[in-house]
Amino acid sequence: LPDPAVAALIAKLSSHSFIAPKDERSLAQLHPRRVSVSRMRDLVRQGDRPDASVFVLSGMLARYHTLASGDRQYLSLHIANDLPDIQSLFLQVMDHSLCSLDDAEVAFFSHEELFALLANAPSVTFAFWRQTLLDAAIFRQAITNNGLRRGGERLAHLFCEQFTRAQQAGIAADHSCSFPLTQTQIGQMLGMSLVSVNRAAQRLLKERCAQLRSGKLLVLDWNRLKSRANFDPSYLHLDLHAPEIGRRMRRTSE
Amino acid sequence: LPDPAVAALIAKLSSHSFIAPKDERSLAQLHPRRVSVSRMRDLVRQGDRPDASVFVLSGMLARYHTLASGDRQYLSLHIANDLPDIQSLFLQVMDHSLCSLDDAEVAFFSHEELFALLANAPSVTFAFWRQTLLDAAIFRQAITNNGLRRGGERLAHLFCEQFTRAQQAGIAADHSCSFPLTQTQIGQMLGMSLVSVNRAAQRLLKERCAQLRSGKLLVLDWNRLKSRANFDPSYLHLDLHAPEIGRRMRRTSE
DNA sequence: CGGCACGTTGAAGTGACTCAATTCGCGTGG
DNA sequence: CCACGCGAATTGAGTCACTTCAACGTGCCG
């Protein structure tokens, strides 16, 4: 019986990519190290050379940059089944940090094991690669969100993204999902001051779009929220859930 | 004798990753389609499903998002030896567009050929993957730059990044490099208005840091510019020019 | 009950934006 | 050769969104 973290990883990769049966059997041989972390702990720091990559089992992690001034910029949020630092396989020195925003459960997959696996499991390589490409698409959207939108629109977009991703991960309730960031942290994510975040959130509540309460995001009216944010989910590439490209890879290699 | 575009591609990949000799021979079999584009032409559009990926031979390309409102956000700049849309191999539907900012020479590598190559050339797969990871690191930095820095600092950072990358690509002069963006486009890249860009550029000139003139960036005082921008190039992972990880992959697979 | 972190609110200041007019650089055509 | 046109850059002025500062409220936990 495979480790439950391994099973979750296989399910995640299979959700967007074709995994060859023999490669799935290799995946099942992995030996992750399971770790519980309390909120606001660094798992990996800017400048580190990690020898393992994190897979999220529960809770929320975030990547962030720290400037010399000490200012912090959150780059991305990561929930169950995410692989927030798989890129450290190929970029040895971390250019950002990874921390928990929540109490979280994670599994560490050692780079050594992963390298040995990837060398002989091309379908897994492509799946991991695609995972990092999905990350990059979210980064791009963050640039646009923070550059082109303002105030309430910007916050609404973040809400839409997180709720959609939580739904996709199967950890959203009907009209709510976990959202453990403080308003200060939301500001550090969106390039806004704490005060602006507070007022933008109040506007969204007054407009009956969404509400933040005790670490949860409550979606009051999804359609209104979506149009308030001008949210277009195509950058999340949800359609990849039909993993036809993986199959194409398989054909061409046979 | 291999196609010059292929030779440049091999040199680029080899600069940061180990390419196995047999994989290099496979690369040399590729048949890129060479194309000249004039300035401000779209090569690929948001929503497209391209069947080939672009390799830049000369000139400058940019990726950008378009909102429903028509507003444009530039996401990244690409110069000689860049692979600006290699991610379309695995994310079939483009979530952004790619255009020329300059008159440019590019080579299209068909996805079909690339898939056939990657299925049997793991060292090339890892090199391409790493290439997309380097892209992602630059996206992350853009989030931080636009979120945490303001005005002159933000512009100075963009200048530092471009000059460093031009040097790395071997297309920078001693104290200058190509920079064909208009001030409007710089604004659409940095989330600033045309007027703010203009005034920030004037401040940088008055402080004798850098100057924009007729499509060129002139670096007047690199150290001053760097410190003005708080530029830390570690996110560009220039150290990868010793491609030791590729060798490590090779060892583990043998 | 006290302490602390987080959230809320008001008020004042300012950096950036928009709008609009002017100038510059450059290529085109009369 | 010069007038013209056009895109880009520059400049000034008024406005506004967001910031900063500071105080206060609230909920939770020891």
Side-chain angles (χ1 to χ4, degrees), chain B residues 23-63:
Chain B
D23 294 350
E24 183 170 331
R25 284 191 293 276
S26 304
L27 272 167
Q29 304 301 316
L30 293 173
H31 297 89
R33 187 165 52 89
R34 200 188 176 106
V35 175
S36 297
V37 287
S38 56
R39 67 185 288 280
M40 295 313 284
R41 302 281 171 200
D42 284 335
L43 284 87
V44 192
R45 287 216 176 85
Q46 216 163 313
D48 283 358
R49 295 170 167 269
D51 60 4
S53 284
V54 170
F55 178 71
V56 185
L57 296 167
S58 70
M60 188 179 278
L61 307 187
R63 306 202 231 181

Side-chain angles (χ1 to χ4, degrees), chain A residues 5-186:
Chain A
V6 170
L9 174 62
I10 292 174
K12 169 68 169 201
L13 297 179
S14 301
S15 79
H16 60 65
S17 296
F18 169 78
I19 304 293
K22 98 170 164 52
D23 295 349
E24 184 171 330
R25 284 191 293 276
S26 304
L27 271 168
Q29 304 301 316
L30 293 173
H31 297 89
R33 185 165 54 89
R34 201 187 174 107
V35 175
S36 297
V37 287
S38 57
R39 66 185 289 279
M40 296 313 283
R41 302 280 170 200
D42 284 335
L43 284 88
V44 192
R45 287 217 177 84
Q46 217 162 313
D48 283 359
R49 294 170 167 269
D51 59 5
S53 283
V54 171
F55 178 70
V56 185
L57 296 167
S58 71
M60 188 179 279
L61 307 187
R63 306 203 231 180
Y64 66 93
H65 272 156
T66 314
L67 292 196
S69 62
D71 291 337
R72 178 175 293 207
Q73 171 76 48
Y74 285 104
L75 300 164
S76 59
L77 303 179
H78 294 279
I79 58 179
N81 306 320
D82 278 353
L83 286 156
D85 68 339
I86 193 71
Q87 94 288 328
S88 62
L89 271 173
F90 289 97
L91 301 182
Q92 302 105 290
V93 179
M94 291 291 291
D95 56 50
H96 60 277
S97 303
L98 177 65
C99 71
S100 56
L101 297 176
D102 228 359
D103 292 346
E105 289 279 322
V106 304
F108 283 93
F109 288 85
S110 89
H111 287 179
E112 201 175 325
E113 269 194 357
L114 290 177
F115 277 130
L117 169 70
L118 295 184
N120 298 298
S123 75
V124 176
T125 302
F126 296 132
F128 276 148
W129 183 0
R130 171 175 275 168
Q131 195 59 56
T132 63
L133 293 174
L134 292 170
D135 274 5
I138 294 175
F139 289 136
R140 286 192 291 270
Q141 192 61 44
I143 296 174
T144 300
N145 193 35
N146 296 356
L148 238 39
R149 297 187 235 260
R150 48 186 50 191
E153 201 183 356
R154 206 185 286 186
L155 182 60
H157 195 276
L158 177 63
F159 286 171
C160 288
E161 179 173 303
Q162 271 318 107
F163 185 61
T164 303
R165 291 183 59 210
Q167 283 185 313
Q168 192 189 2
I171 57 171
D174 254 14
H175 301 288
S176 74
C177 66
S178 171
F179 200 88
L181 292 95
T182 68
Q183 293 184 354
T184 302
Q185 290 170 328
I186 297 174

